[in-house]
Structure formats: C-alpha cells, structure tokens
C-alpha cells in the first residue's frame, strides 16, 4: 500500500471549526461492510444499531491544556510551547514543541509569567521543532502542575484558525475523560452526551474502558510513499484486568463489540494475543495499522472523518475496506459532512 492511495480532495470548508451545537446532534454515516451500503443518520441514532449486552469500548484519556505562550529572555519574542510529555517528574523536564523554532537554542530561557515565577530553560534539541525543557518553579509538584494548567490553553488542532473559546475547554474533552495525559482529544468520543450514555445504559449496552494518551505523532504527516517504512511515534496505553475480562467475555460470546475511535482500536490491537484475547497492558505503543490487517477484538467501530493520507484514515480503511471507505468519503463530501476533530462521525458495522 502506498501513501498516495489515500489521497482525495477535501474542500477546506468541510474542516469543522466548531463542534455541533449538541454533542449527539452531529451527523452519522453508517457503513455496513457486509452489504456495502451507506445510511445517513444523526449520532443519537447510534443506539438503534446495538442490542442488550453489546459492548462499547471507550478511551478514557483526558486532554490537558498543553499549549503555553512564553517570552524569550532578552528579546522578549513570543514563543509558543506545546507540552508533549513529561520526562522526569522530579526535575520537571518535558519534551515540547516550540514555534518559531529557529529562535530557540540550548541555553535559552523562556519566561511564562510577569513575576518570573515560571521559567523554562532549553536543555536539548530533539527534532527540528522539538526541544527538551527544564521548568524552574519554586513550589511543590502539585503547585507546578496547577500553574501549567492555569497558564495553558486547550490544544485545539492547528487547522482550526480561530482563537480558543471558553467552550473548547469542555467540548474538546469527552464526558467520560478520567486520566490526564493526552495532548489531543480522542475525537470519536466527543459525540457521546450524558443523555445518549443513559439511553445506551437503559438498553442494556455494556461499557469497557481503556486508556491511550493521544500524542501529536498520530497527526504527523507520512513522509514516505511505502507505508511499511513509516514509523509511528509511541503513545502510552493502559488496559487493566477488569476491563480486559469484560472485553474478552463479549468477544467469546460473539456479541457486537464497538471500538469508539482509532485510539481505542490501537490500544486493543496492541494488547491482543494471537488467540484473540486481551491481556492487561501498561506500556508504549507505536503500532501503525494499515490495510490489510486482521482485527482481533472489535467487530464494529465509531470514528470521525479523517484528512487525506493520514494514519487515522489508513486504520479505518483497514477496518472498512479501502475501496468502500473511499466511496464513503466521496458520499461524505457530496453530503457536506464535516471532517476532522470537531467534525461528524461514522459507524462501521
């Protein structure tokens, strides 16, 4: 498979700048792989496709406000710092991206507050835009994290050109988010409202949770034409014994098992064994899923509409079938479905 096989023309106006007014009012395209048919629904109709004891698996990661703005020592130049991951809790060392990167060198200091209470020193270069920072803050670790949260803003994807609005703090987060660690939302889950969760519960649907802390690597463009040569950046994934048992029981009983989002699917496919059993897992995954791929756990999937040549689109193509997915995307563009993080959704059965 080649990267160019996943190219298509996506009109700019179909990139969603805002979420739907209500979470479950987004459009839902339903793909049936067996009959290769497509239906057009609203997300709240998802409940109609599942029966008692079918299983939804959610990614319960929580987005933290990862985008900070600081000023460079001496010049005062404004620098965007995007927190990627904490490397050392004790010494407050983080992997970050900086913009504009050309101005930031090892030894530079960045000031984030007027009173200079939060300062960072650049201690290493990692990639063209990547840097390692050591934060200097006179307070406990809890106070330091609270200060990052206070100064940080919701890390909306770069394609959203508008300024961050107060509602983004709530809407760029799933309602079931629990474990902080993601720098991007698991966006398929953004469509679930409390009301919809209640309706699924009343119908007798079962729920399981995994954690995959979404990093920016998921969105990195693929620079190679041969997909087998692309390397994904690692993301932390956690599945505990309780949830592994719930998932294995549903698979053994041949129920409908729905992975909510590509990040949930990546966590499942990372931890599944050759006999299609999920084991407890805590580690890093750089699993890159593209066609052909034999999925071991989920037999249905909810996902958003993804951008051309993205790793996310490739995973969905592996699940839905590439030709069927390309046809569905054509339909989506014709029917003005919204794409990407705040966009509409797809249910693949």
């Amino acid at each position: 498979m080649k990267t160019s096989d996943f190219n298509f023309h996506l009109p700019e106006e179909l990139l969603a700048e805002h979420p739907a007014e209500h979470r479950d009012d987004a459009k839902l395209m339903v793909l049936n792989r067996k009959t290769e048919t497509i239906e057009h629904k609203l997300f709240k109709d998802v409940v109609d496709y599942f029966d008692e004891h079918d299983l939804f698996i959610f990614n319960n990661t929580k987005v933290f406000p990862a985008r900070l703005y600081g000023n460079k020592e001496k010049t005062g130049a404004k620098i965007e710092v995007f927190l990627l991951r904490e490397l050392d809790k004790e010494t407050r060392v983080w992997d970050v991206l900086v913009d504009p990167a050309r101005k930031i060198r090892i030894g530079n200091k960045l000031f984030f507050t007027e009173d200079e209470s939060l300062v960072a020193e650049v201690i290493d270069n990692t990639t063209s835009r990547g840097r390692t920072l050591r934060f200097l803050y006179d307070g406990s670790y809890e106070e330091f994290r609270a200060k990052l949260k206070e100064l940080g803003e919701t890390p909306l994807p770069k394609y959203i050109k508008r300024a961050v609005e107060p509602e983004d703090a709530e809407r760029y987060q799933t309602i079931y988010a629990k474990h902080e660690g993601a720098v991007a939302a698991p966006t398929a889950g953004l469509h679930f409202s409390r009301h919809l969760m209640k309706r699924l519960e009343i119908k007798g649907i079962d729920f399981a949770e995994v954690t995959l802390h979404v990093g920016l690597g998921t969105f990195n463009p693929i620079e190679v034409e041969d997909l087998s040569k692309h390397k994904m950046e690692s993301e932390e994934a956690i599945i505990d014994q309780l949830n592994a048992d719930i998932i294995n029981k549903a698979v053994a009983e041949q129920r409908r098992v729905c992975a909510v989002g590509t990040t949930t699917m990546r966590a499942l496919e990372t931890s599944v064994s050759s006999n299609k059993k999920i084991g407890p897992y805590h580690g890093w995954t750089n699993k890159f899923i593209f066609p052909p791929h034999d999925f071991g756990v989920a037999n249905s999937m909810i996902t958003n509409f993804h951008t051309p040549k993205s790793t996310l689109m490739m995973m969905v193509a592996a699940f839905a079938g590439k030709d069927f997915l390309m046809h569905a995307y054509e339909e989506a563009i014709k029917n003005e479905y919204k794409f990407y993080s705040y966009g509409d959704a797809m249910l693949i059965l």
Side-chain angles (χ1 to χ4, degrees):
M1 278 274 164
K2 299 194 193 76
T3 302
S4 53
D5 292 338
F6 297 88
N7 200 11
F8 64 95
H9 173 65
L10 176 58
E12 207 171 310
E13 64 272 15
L14 295 185
L15 288 169
E17 287 267 323
H18 291 89
E21 190 181 346
H22 302 292
R23 286 178 185 267
D24 53 15
D25 275 348
K27 289 183 188 175
L28 178 71
M29 181 185 279
V30 183
L31 274 60
N32 187 314
R33 292 180 292 171
K34 205 176 277 178
T35 57
E36 294 216 342
T37 50
I38 290 172
E39 295 177 275
H40 301 284
K41 301 283 184 176
L42 290 177
F43 195 81
K44 60 181 69 161
D45 301 325
V46 77
V47 70
D48 299 337
Y49 293 88
F50 294 86
D51 296 318
E52 191 178 5
H53 294 309
D54 285 343
L55 180 67
F56 275 71
I57 309 172
F58 298 102
N59 179 6
N60 63 17
T61 187
K62 191 173 190 180
V63 179
F64 65 92
R67 192 172 273 128
L68 301 170
Y69 294 94
N71 297 98
K72 194 179 164 189
E73 188 181 27
K74 296 192 180 107
T75 66
K78 188 180 179 183
I79 306 294
E80 178 190 306
V81 173
F82 195 100
L83 301 171
L84 288 179
R85 68 173 66 120
E86 184 175 52
L87 298 179
D88 190 321
K89 195 171 167 175
E90 298 303 311
T91 55
R92 300 177 187 175
V93 172
W94 283 71
D95 255 347
V96 305
L97 295 177
V98 292
D99 193 18
R102 66 183 187 284
K103 297 183 174 180
I104 302 302
R105 297 187 175 89
I106 293 171
N108 287 163
K109 282 193 174 151
L110 299 170
F111 294 87
F112 296 93
T113 54
E114 288 285 320
D115 62 2
E116 300 185 4
S117 61
L118 183 67
V119 181
E121 185 181 5
V122 182
I123 60 173
D124 199 7
N125 294 331
T126 50
T127 61
S128 58
R129 285 182 57 215
R131 301 290 183 271
T132 304
L133 300 187
R134 180 187 290 118
F135 283 95
L136 311 168
Y137 182 75
D138 190 16
S140 68
Y141 178 74
E142 286 67 33
E143 289 166 330
F144 165 65
R145 289 303 297 249
K147 179 57 83 174
L148 288 184
K149 199 170 273 191
E150 176 199 323
L151 295 173
E153 80 178 22
T154 303
L156 291 183
K158 280 286 194 190
Y159 84 87
I160 293 178
K161 301 288 185 256
R162 63 174 173 80
V164 172
E165 294 165 11
E167 71 153 4
D168 291 314
E170 183 211 342
R171 292 302 302 273
Y172 196 64
Q173 193 83 270
T174 64
I175 60 165
Y176 46 77
K178 280 183 193 159
H179 302 299
E180 197 169 83
V183 298
T187 54
L190 298 179
H191 303 293
F192 286 85
S193 64
R194 286 189 169 76
H195 180 64
L196 179 57
M197 293 292 269
K198 198 75 205 156
R199 285 175 62 214
L200 290 166
E201 222 175 278
I202 289 165
K203 196 163 183 181
I205 307 292
D206 293 335
F207 301 144
E209 293 183 356
V210 300
T211 306
L212 185 132
H213 293 313
V214 191
L216 283 189
T218 297
F219 308 100
N220 279 352
I222 298 181
E223 309 283 0
V224 290
E225 181 64 355
D226 178 354
L227 293 186
S228 65
K229 293 192 165 53
H230 177 66
K231 296 281 182 287
M232 293 284 284
E233 275 183 42
S234 292
E235 297 170 314
E236 189 179 12
I238 304 152
I239 302 176
D240 62 25
Q241 187 68 60
L242 172 70
N243 283 287
D245 290 345
I246 294 169
I247 295 164
N248 287 332
K249 189 169 186 289
V251 172
E253 292 173 3
Q254 298 187 317
R255 296 189 247 139
R256 184 162 273 174
V257 175
C258 183
V260 177
T262 56
T263 58
T264 300
M265 190 69 94
R266 181 177 292 115
L268 295 172
E269 290 300 302
T270 295
S271 59
V272 71
S273 66
S274 55
N275 63 357
K276 310 232 165 164
K277 281 259 181 10
I278 289 282
Y281 183 89
H282 189 171
W284 294 82
T285 176
N286 62 354
K287 194 167 188 68
F288 175 32
I289 298 170
F290 58 92
H293 181 83
D294 180 24
F295 289 84
V297 184
N299 49 29
S300 60
M301 178 183 194
I302 290 170
T303 186
N304 278 20
F305 289 89
H306 305 295
T307 48
K309 300 194 288 189
S310 60
T311 60
L312 306 171
M313 181 193 175
M314 289 165 187
M315 180 196 288
V316 180
F319 191 76
K322 182 188 163 287
D323 292 344
F324 187 30
L325 185 75
M326 295 305 268
H327 170 59
Y329 272 34
E330 268 175 45
E331 281 284 298
I333 290 166
K334 202 164 73 187
N335 289 278
E336 297 187 346
Y337 278 72
K338 294 287 190 183
F339 279 66
Y340 218 21
S341 302
Y342 271 154
D344 295 313
M346 176 184 272
L347 167 64
I348 308 167
L349 300 170

